[in-house]
Amino acid sequence: MTRSAPAPAELLTIAIDVARQAAATAHRMRAEGVSVAATKSTVTDVVTAADRAVERQVLDALHRVRPDDAVLGEEYGAGAADGAASGVRWIVDPIDGTVNYLYGLPYCAVSLAAEVDGEVVAGVVRNVFTGEEWTATAGGGAWRDGRRLNCSTEVELGQALVATGFGYDPARRSHQARVVAELIPHVRDIRRLGAAALDLCLAAEGRVDAYYEKGLAAWDQAAGGLVAAEAGLRVAGLGGLPAGPDLVIAAPPALFAPLHDRLADLDASGGP
Ligand code: IPD
Ligand code: CA
């Protein structure tokens, strides 16, 4: 760990403060009405004025308190600072679940994580509509509203409620849908709720048993992945790889191998 880097708890305090203000802005802007400002990778991959305004607010707030840190955000990318001075990089998804936000579905969140020397050490995910807030620090556990979280104790894949998501590219979605079609006979059921960061937080408290998805970006998984791991889930990719764009699997220890093996058989990390 870089000598000058603050403790995870200190970074979390900053993250919580910034994320709460960001969520308040997103909530206010939704109440004022929302429309598509632009599209990104495909016509269904939308960005609203709120995505941009919230990320700008987060960048400005972080810069005020931690001017030497780097920031990676979904809308504005890596920015100017390289973070070498402090070893700290913030990773922000201003609104995870943008399509839900657009439609007024109360399942979208501000996600903010802090990395020190490339390792995520603190994270907060705050639901913009409900105010539910999940936090974690490396080695300090996962928490929601003062309650320490533990993942599901389910051991049977056939009894597991499994959350997943789909990318925006039609060809990728087709492949992902084929994987789901083959998986669903072997699990309790599938949930596609629409915000990866929140899916990981639900898994952290057993409101779903497990989660997997191909194609996540760092901002989708940084904070939620830490929350899930600190709640006891194993968070990894296929074949011993770390969780990443090819695949994120988050499952309780006893469920990880059966889910992993089924997803490997179904080539869940394959396709476009
Ligand atoms: C998306 C959501 C969705 C997941 C996609 C993500 P966005 O993020 O997390 O649940 O399935 O892979 O891209 O676009 O709403 O920030
Ligand atoms: Ca996202």
Side-chain angles (χ1 to χ4, degrees), residues 38-63:
T39 58
K40 296 188 284 187
S41 59
T42 71
V43 288
T44 54
D45 184 6
V46 296
V47 57
T48 71
D51 290 272
R52 290 173 173 169
V54 170
E55 186 163 317
R56 174 56 54 202
Q57 178 179 323
V58 169
L59 298 181
D60 291 347
L62 290 173
H63 188 71

Side-chain angles (χ1 to χ4, degrees), residues 19 23 58 83 99 112 115 118 134-135 140 178 185 196 199 220 233-234 237 243 253 265 272:
V58 169
V99 174
L112 182 58
E115 271 182 356
W134 294 262
T135 61
R178 283 194 291 275
D199 294 345
D220 298 312
L233 292 122
R234 184 166 168 202
D265 286 349

Side-chain angles (χ1 to χ4, degrees), residues 109-262:
V110 174
S111 171
L112 182 58
E115 271 182 356
V116 174
D117 297 337
E119 185 198 346
V120 179
V121 299
V124 56
V125 177
R126 186 176 176 93
N127 185 313
V128 165
F129 286 94
T130 67
E132 289 172 298
E133 185 180 270
W134 294 262
T135 61
T137 52
W143 300 79
R144 179 165 72 82
D145 305 327
R147 193 166 65 83
R148 189 159 184 169
L149 304 179
N150 292 298
C151 66
S152 155
T153 54
E154 183 57 61
V155 297
E156 296 289 333
L157 186 58
Q159 297 296 314
L161 185 61
V162 179
T164 191
F166 305 116
Y168 291 106
D169 173 62
R172 173 169 291 177
R173 288 179 162 190
S174 291
H175 181 77
Q176 290 174 314
R178 283 194 291 275
V179 173
V180 167
E182 294 293 325
L183 180 64
I184 198 168
H186 303 284
V187 297
R188 180 188 295 277
D189 209 342
I190 294 287
R191 291 290 179 271
R192 195 294 190 246
L193 297 164
L198 287 170
D199 294 345
L200 286 159
C201 291
L202 291 200
E205 53 182 307
R207 288 159 80 181
V208 297
D209 293 302
Y211 164 77
Y212 78 92
E213 186 166 345
K214 173 190 163 79
L216 292 190
W219 44 81
D220 298 312
Q221 72 168 83
L226 181 64
V227 171
E230 286 292 326
L233 292 122
R234 184 166 168 202
V235 182
L238 281 187
L241 292 172
D246 283 348
L247 200 64
V248 174
I249 305 171
L255 272 185
F256 188 90
L259 179 59
H260 169 281
D261 293 354
R262 181 69 67 174

